[in-house]
């Protein structure tokens, strides 16, 4: 038997409070009359660092240790010696069940049990791990309930915050078009990949991820970039080709950052891969367009230079030369306008001819165009426009359009891999072959023939000028 003097032994603040407390005012009676079972369990809980409270008797009179007093907060020390249903009145129903089960000799266990407790003047949710066991008296009957109470509120809130962060991350991954991935510290293993649909998702770890995702020619370059990133622990940024989910080859812009633990140890890499396939295609197209534009500008300048030299050298006076030069530049500009509308991908032969001859017509009925439409190359369109301009100018000055009855018929056909075109004038003044060929004639016969890689011939027939064009179809058309 334990003597009353000096009981309980130690126990810190609560040991002293228990020694000084007027237990005679409670249902368990004076300290000196406590049964040995009550004394033993009280001594045990006072020496435990774990928060423990003893609920003794039918009233569940509360005896607890220093660790539990911290959990009790502002209720301490008034809680000591009080009835549990009254001391924790906001959860009296819960504790009523605890006493009923414990005094019947059974146990209870709760993990992260949520209870609403009065704290800071209002009810607040609190989470706890609770373990209840019966305490037997000398007769072997349950006389009280001992409770081990560990508050887990901070853990539960942290877990909820983590789950919320994971939920938001999941929502971000599902919303983004990027592929989100995780890599082992040395990049030897793809841990997980999710997100964008352009790459196949990886829900399990993969060690052969390079062969599965990367274009073989890009693997050495990617390996070198990874080695540098791992050695320096700096973010990896790289553009490379990949095998897309649909089996095609695409491009990604990949960026990954190293993640370390509290000790600074590299634990994994977290990254995102953006699909830049269309961007790369667009940039490549723009590069080709710029190169093509440079080529077109140089050709156009060379053509303007040739027109200028021959116009001013052959014209009888400066005023006439200036007029002819301006007209030819207009024809060239109009042909360029037509090609610009087609993005320099070629033009309609009918439109190129019509655009060149229309400004010279006073009566559209006096000019007919006949032939199935053909898509011609930009080079052919420019040459054809200038030739049609020269023929139209000659018709207005000297030929079928210089009187009120003359007519021009332009017809073309495609056969045997050849384009054949004929300009035929009728009902104009009688034609007499010129003593010498001017620049216009040379531009038509030599210039057009050279551009088309074919033959162009002018026939100065008395009934009207006739011009024939024959060129390989492959040289003048576009697909």
């Amino acid at each position: 038997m334990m003597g009353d003097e000096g009981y309980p032994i130690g126990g810190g603040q609560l040991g002293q409070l228990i020694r000084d407390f007027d237990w005679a005012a409670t249902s368990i009676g004076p300290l000196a009359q406590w049964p040995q079972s009550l004394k033993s369990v009280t001594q045990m809980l006072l020496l435990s660092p774990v928060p423990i409270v003893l609920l003794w008797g039918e009233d569940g009179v509360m005896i607890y240790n220093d660790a539990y007093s911290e959990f009790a907060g502002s209720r301490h020390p008034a809680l000591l010696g009080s009835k549990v249903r009254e001391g924790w009145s906001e959860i009296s129903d819960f504790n009523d069940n605890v006493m009923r089960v414990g005094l019947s000799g059974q146990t209870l266990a709760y993990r992260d049990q949520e209870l609403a407790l009065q704290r800071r003047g209002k009810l607040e949710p609190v989470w706890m791990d609770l373990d209840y066991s019966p305490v037997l008296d000398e007769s072997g009957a349950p006389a009280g309930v001992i409770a081990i109470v560990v508050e887990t509120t901070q853990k539960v809130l942290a877990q909820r915050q983590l789950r919320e962060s994971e939920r938001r991350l999941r929502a971000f991954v599902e919303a983004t078009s990027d592929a989100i991935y995780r890599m082992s510290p040395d990049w030897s293993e793809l841990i997980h990949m999710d997100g964008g649909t352009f790459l196949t998702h990886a829900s399990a770890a993969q060690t052969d991820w390079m062969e599965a995702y990367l274009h073989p020619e890009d693997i050495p370059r990617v390996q070198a970039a990874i080695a540098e990133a791992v050695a320096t622990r700096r973010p990896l940024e790289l553009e490379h080709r990949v095998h897309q989910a649909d089996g095609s080859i695409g491009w990604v812009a990949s960026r990954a950052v190293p993640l370390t633990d509290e000790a600074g140890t590299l634990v994994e890499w977290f990254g995102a891969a953006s699909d830049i396939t269309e961007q790369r295609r667009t940039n490549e197209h723009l590069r080709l367009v710029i190169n093509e534009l440079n080529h077109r500008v140089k050709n156009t300048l060379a053509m303007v230079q040739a027109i200028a030299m021959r116009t001013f050298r052959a014209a009888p006076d400066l005023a006439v030369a200036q007029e002819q030069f301006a007209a030819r530049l207009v024809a060239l500009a109009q042909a360029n306008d037509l090609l610009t509308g087609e993005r320099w991908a070629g033009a309609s032969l009918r439109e190129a001819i019509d655009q060149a001859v229309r400004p010279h017509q006073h009566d559209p009925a006096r000019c007919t165009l006949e032939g199935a439409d053909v898509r011609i190359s930009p080079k052919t369109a420019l040459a054809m426009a200038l030739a049609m301009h020269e023929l139209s100018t000659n018709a207005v000055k000297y030929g079928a359009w210089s009187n009120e009855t003359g007519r021009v018929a332009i017809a073309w056909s495609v056969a045997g891999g050849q384009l054949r075109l004929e300009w035929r004038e009728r009902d104009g003044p009688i034609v007499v072959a010129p003593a010498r060929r001017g620049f216009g004639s040379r531009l038509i016969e030599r210039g057009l023939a050279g551009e088309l890689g074919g033959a162009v011939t002018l026939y100065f027939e008395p009934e009207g000028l006739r011009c024939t064009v024959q060129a390989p179809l492959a040289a003048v058309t576009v697909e």
Side-chain angles (χ1 to χ4, degrees), residues 250-434:
W251 282 85
V252 298
S254 184
R255 174 178 169 81
V257 295
L259 301 180
T260 58
D261 60 18
E262 294 181 357
T265 303
L266 181 61
V267 293
E268 70 177 24
W269 293 77
F270 186 83
S274 304
D275 184 5
I276 59 169
T277 305
E278 287 304 317
Q279 177 184 331
R280 294 279 302 204
R281 288 173 180 166
T282 299
N283 290 343
E284 179 64 17
H285 177 69
L286 288 176
R287 186 183 66 81
L288 293 175
V289 168
I290 290 173
N291 290 341
E292 180 68 13
L293 180 60
N294 287 335
H295 176 70
R296 300 295 178 194
V297 169
K298 289 178 181 178
N299 283 351
T300 301
L301 289 176
M303 188 176 294
V304 170
Q305 184 181 31
I307 291 173
M309 291 177 60
R310 293 174 182 176
T311 300
F312 287 102
R313 184 172 59 191
D317 59 64
L318 183 59
V320 172
Q322 289 175 334
E323 182 181 349
Q324 291 177 339
F325 182 65
R328 286 164 179 160
L329 288 185
V330 168
L332 185 62
Q334 289 174 339
N336 273 279
D337 287 342
L338 176 63
L339 291 169
T340 301
E342 298 289 339
R343 298 185 179 182
W344 280 86
S348 158
L349 175 60
R350 177 179 291 273
E351 289 185 19
I353 294 173
D354 182 60
Q355 185 170 270
V357 302
R358 190 186 309 119
H360 303 279
Q361 301 173 29
H362 296 293
D363 181 0
R366 295 170 64 189
C367 180
T368 60
L369 277 64
E370 182 179 355
D373 204 3
V374 179
R375 295 287 298 176
I376 56 176
S377 67
K379 178 181 179 182
T380 301
L382 289 175
M384 188 67 71
L386 283 175
M388 292 295 112
H389 166 75
E390 293 298 328
L391 288 168
S392 298
T393 300
N394 184 76
V396 170
K397 289 183 175 181
Y398 315 110
W401 290 338
S402 65
N403 63 15
E404 299 300 323
T405 58
R407 294 173 293 106
V408 175
I410 307 170
W412 62 91
S413 63
V414 174
Q418 296 284 315
L419 170 67
R420 294 180 175 83
L421 182 145
E422 182 182 68
W423 169 289
R424 181 186 292 272
E425 298 183 23
R426 289 293 181 267
D427 300 332
I430 296 175
V431 175
V432 177

Side-chain angles (χ1 to χ4, degrees), residues 67-144:
Y68 185 87
S69 71
E70 295 180 11
F71 166 75
S74 61
R75 298 173 194 258
H76 172 73
L79 207 59
L80 182 66
S82 68
K83 300 174 182 179
V84 67
R85 297 174 183 83
E86 296 174 356
W88 295 98
S89 58
E90 65 270 35
I91 55 171
S92 59
D93 289 344
F94 180 84
N95 283 323
D96 192 56
N97 181 64
V98 166
M99 295 306 300
R100 183 168 54 254
V101 172
L103 293 179
S104 70
Q106 300 178 56
T107 62
L108 288 171
Y110 300 94
R111 292 294 173 266
D112 295 328
Q113 174 66 39
E114 181 179 359
L115 296 172
L117 302 181
Q118 283 283 347
R119 287 187 171 179
R120 292 179 286 273
K122 62 179 181 178
L123 283 175
E124 294 183 4
V126 177
W127 289 265
M128 293 173 285
D129 286 346
L130 302 168
D131 290 279
Y132 297 98
S133 300
V135 178
L136 307 182
D137 62 14
E138 283 71 13
S139 67

